[in-house]
Structures are given as C-alpha cells and as structure tokens.
Amino acid sequence: MPGIDLDEIYRTLAPEDIPWNRPALPEPLVELLDGGVVSPCRAVEFGCGLGNHAIAMARRGFEVTGVDLSPTAVGMAREHAAAAGVRVRFLAADVTAELDELHGDFAFGWDWEMLHHLFPEQRLRYVTNLARLLAPGALHLSVCFSEHDPMFGSGKQRSTPIGTVLYFSSEKEIRELFETAFDIVTLGEIAIHGTHGDHRAVRALLRKPA
C-alpha cells in the first residue's frame, strides 16, 4: 500500500488522533443487530484496529476474531479487551496474504473503513480470503469511501493529513469486486460520520451462497 506504514501510525499517534479509531459501533452495523438481521454468532472483523468494534460485538454475545495488519494495534486491542473483561481473539495478519493462521466457518464478517486502504490489485485476494473463511449463507458488511466523497481532494487516490494514501471506490467497482464470490444483498451510498467531517461511503451487504 502506498503511503505511510499503518503500524507507524499506531506506534506514533495517540489513539484519539487516529481518524478511524472511533469507539462506538457504526450505525450500519447497529442497524443489522437491532433489526435482527445478524444475531450472536462466530464473527470476524477485518481491519479491527484497536479493537473497539470487536469488543463491542463481544459484549453483545458474539464470538469475535479481529484481524489487523498492524502488530502494534493488535497488541493494544488485546490490552483493551482484557481491561473490558471480554474475550476476543486478535490476530496480526495481512488480509491480502494467505491468512493460513485463520480458519473458516464464520457466520458473520465485517470490514469498516478498511477496504479503501487496499488498492484494486490487492482486493481480489481479500475477497478470496472472505469466500474461504465465511460459512455458506454467512453475511458480510463492507463499508469504504466513495469516489463521490469530497474529503482529501479529488481523484481515485488521495493522500490524508496523517500520510495514508486511500483509494476511493465507485459502486460499480464494489459490485464487480464482490459479485465474483458473493450474492449482493444491498449496495449503495450512505453518509458516515468521521473525525474530519461526514463522508460519502459505499455500503455493501453480501451473502455467501449456500
């Protein structure tokens, strides 16, 4: 991935200065939970960061595994889970690599503001991993920045104030990416609240064919 090493961000920035480190469960995920679309099960979060969402899901009765590229983030997530008194498995691993450390049959998965850190040439491998790890009939929620979002300039690739370089997607790109292995349940643009203001994002709810 172009730009600064994500692990460096976790090593050098205070948690409150990391833009995507937001403690509360995001609204699209809460809607699935409160609407009964997703119930406590074996679940996996890709791009778990400091573990806020994984810990919140564990409190709701889910058996959660959180995966992140940054060993520093994973170490801090483990500390946060221990302090919260909940059990979550955290794993430092590259979601675009083989992921041999992780085994499948998860009934629900999600990635929140993670996919825009992956460039198109990395994404197909991620989808291959999803297809292997999710159980037949499992749901997966993916939310990433839309190309219509005005933040950080314009174009598909944009640099952020903290040195990351993000890829902003179209609905068409996300559909074509995921429909290689999943049924598209819903797909569309939504507004999400971020540290630097509201973002336009592409939300995809997917189901692995039974």
Side-chain angles (χ1 to χ4, degrees):
M1 182 189 70
I4 193 171
D5 177 4
L6 284 178
D7 196 62
E8 183 178 343
I9 290 173
Y10 289 106
R11 292 195 307 267
T12 59
L13 293 185
E16 60 270 20
D17 294 330
I18 299 174
W20 56 82
N21 182 46
R22 300 177 67 83
L25 279 177
E27 186 173 333
L29 191 51
V30 172
E31 288 174 355
L32 294 178
L33 300 174
D34 291 351
V37 178
V38 177
S39 300
C41 62
R42 188 166 180 253
V44 58
E45 179 184 13
F46 297 96
C48 66
L50 299 181
N52 296 318
H53 299 164
I55 291 168
M57 292 288 279
R59 284 175 167 152
R60 286 176 174 247
F62 286 79
E63 181 186 342
V64 186
T65 295
V67 183
D68 200 276
L69 181 65
S70 166
T72 300
V74 165
M76 296 171 72
R78 289 170 179 157
E79 293 175 359
H80 294 162
V86 297
R87 179 176 296 178
V88 180
R89 180 192 179 199
F90 288 107
L91 176 67
D94 183 351
V95 300
T96 67
E98 293 297 327
L99 275 184
D100 292 334
E101 316 95 313
L102 201 56
H103 301 285
D105 294 327
F106 291 99
F108 178 62
W110 78 97
D111 58 79
W112 179 261
E113 298 190 7
M114 186 275 288
L115 197 63
H116 48 246
H117 289 277
L118 302 183
F119 279 64
E121 62 272 17
Q122 301 171 294
R123 291 179 173 185
L124 187 57
R125 180 68 222 184
Y126 173 56
V127 173
T128 300
N129 283 331
L130 278 183
R132 176 178 67 83
L133 293 168
L134 296 179
L139 289 174
H140 182 81
L141 175 69
S142 181
V143 178
C144 66
F145 290 162
S146 164
E147 65 180 4
H148 298 137
D149 187 87
M151 301 294 282
F152 312 130
S154 61
K156 302 291 283 185
Q157 299 184 30
R158 307 181 200 177
S159 298
T160 73
I162 63 170
T164 54
V165 180
L166 309 180
Y167 185 88
F168 288 64
S169 300
S170 68
E171 288 185 44
K172 181 175 182 288
E173 285 175 300
I174 297 301
R175 178 178 295 279
E176 291 177 348
L177 172 69
F178 284 121
E179 69 183 3
T180 60
F182 293 91
D183 297 328
I184 308 295
V185 179
T186 58
L187 176 71
E189 284 200 4
I190 61 170
I192 58 174
H193 305 298
T195 302
H196 297 290
D198 288 353
H199 288 278
R200 297 301 302 173
V202 180
R203 173 191 181 272
L205 183 63
L206 318 166
R207 188 183 302 275
K208 181 177 175 179

